Amino acid sequence: MERGFLLVLSGPSGVGKGRVCDALRQTDADILYSISATTRPIRGGEVDGQNYFFLSEEQFLERIEEDAFLEHAHVHGNRYGTPKDFVLRNIDSGKIVILEIDVQGALQVKRNFPNGVFVFLLPPSMKELKRRITDRGTESEQQISLRMNNAREEMGFIEEYDYAVINDDLDRAVESVLSIIAAERLRVIDGRALIDYLEEEVHD
């Protein structure tokens, strides 16, 4: 069975993280999104365990005490976190679990789970990033300026990542990430265990 692992994907707002992740999931059944836990109320049409793991405040705090999250944050009055058991269970079954997350969350994950593969998605230029954000038509000039400043700060952490991919073209960016996945699946983590596995196959 091919090795599974956690793929952490970060990048500034507007760089196209969601589109890259969606395209990756369509290429391989072994690639799936990490499902977050949250204390926010469930919305119409959402399914517990599919969209989110919906927890009460008390349940969430208990899981923090149990060290059950790879990362967690308090955002707009609600708690969000990445459940460790979901990620590990799927990795053990050979899945590539994608966690699309901001830089601060990624650094939390790296401290708690350094075996993850960390990829930073970059725009082809800051001018192009600003154009993409502006073209969405959802932010004021002040908000666009704030997002651009945040992007520059986030890119200052790029050396904390294993790989950088420039999203100048969606297909090329997806191919680059798929190449990373292919290489990481072949990485030797435990050579002795691999040799023992091959020896067992001979004797079966």
Side-chain angles (χ1 to χ4, degrees), residues 110-128:
K110 191 171 185 179
R111 287 193 296 270
N112 295 322
F113 194 72
N115 290 336
V117 177
F118 294 80
V119 179
F120 198 98
L121 195 63
L122 289 162
S125 68
M126 296 304 288
K127 181 178 179 181
E128 172 62 16

Side-chain angles (χ1 to χ4, degrees), residues 6-173:
L6 175 65
L7 178 70
V8 179
L9 183 69
S10 299
S13 174
V15 79
K17 298 185 295 295
R19 292 183 67 198
V20 169
C21 287
D22 288 343
L24 286 169
R25 285 200 305 167
Q26 293 171 18
T27 64
D28 189 334
D30 284 336
I31 298 176
L32 72 155
Y33 268 139
S34 173
I35 300 175
S36 296
T38 183
T39 59
R40 77 155 172 79
I42 190 168
R43 296 170 183 162
E46 289 183 328
V47 178
D48 184 32
Q50 182 175 317
N51 301 99
Y52 286 95
F53 296 109
F54 292 96
L55 304 175
S56 67
E57 180 81 6
E58 182 179 2
Q59 289 172 324
F60 200 103
L61 293 176
E62 285 176 358
R63 281 163 172 73
I64 291 176
E65 289 296 318
E66 295 165 356
D67 193 29
F69 294 116
L70 293 178
E71 60 79 34
H72 60 87
H74 198 225
V75 182
H76 304 308
N78 296 304
R79 297 184 187 275
Y80 295 85
T82 302
K84 192 182 296 183
D85 60 346
F86 175 87
V87 171
L88 295 180
R89 184 172 66 252
N90 282 286
I91 287 175
D92 287 344
S93 69
K95 301 292 186 183
I96 309 302
V97 181
I98 296 180
L99 176 58
E100 180 192 334
I101 195 168
D102 64 20
V103 169
Q104 295 305 317
L107 296 180
Q108 261 197 74
V109 174
K110 191 171 185 179
R111 287 193 296 270
N112 295 322
F113 194 72
N115 290 336
V117 177
F118 294 80
V119 179
F120 198 98
L121 195 63
L122 289 162
S125 68
M126 296 304 288
K127 181 178 179 181
E128 172 62 16
L129 180 65
K130 184 174 183 179
R131 185 195 67 77
R132 291 179 188 179
I133 296 172
T134 303
D135 285 354
R136 295 192 301 203
T138 57
E139 282 98 358
S140 65
E141 281 297 325
Q142 184 177 4
Q143 289 170 323
I144 292 169
S145 178
L146 178 61
R147 289 193 183 279
M148 293 299 294
N149 288 334
N150 288 342
R152 292 183 179 93
E153 288 183 13
E154 288 170 339
M155 286 189 283
F157 291 94
I158 195 168
E159 291 183 356
E160 298 290 334
Y161 289 74
D162 302 306
Y163 300 93
V165 172
I166 296 176
N167 187 19
D168 55 346
D169 174 83
L170 178 61
D171 290 339
R172 277 200 296 268

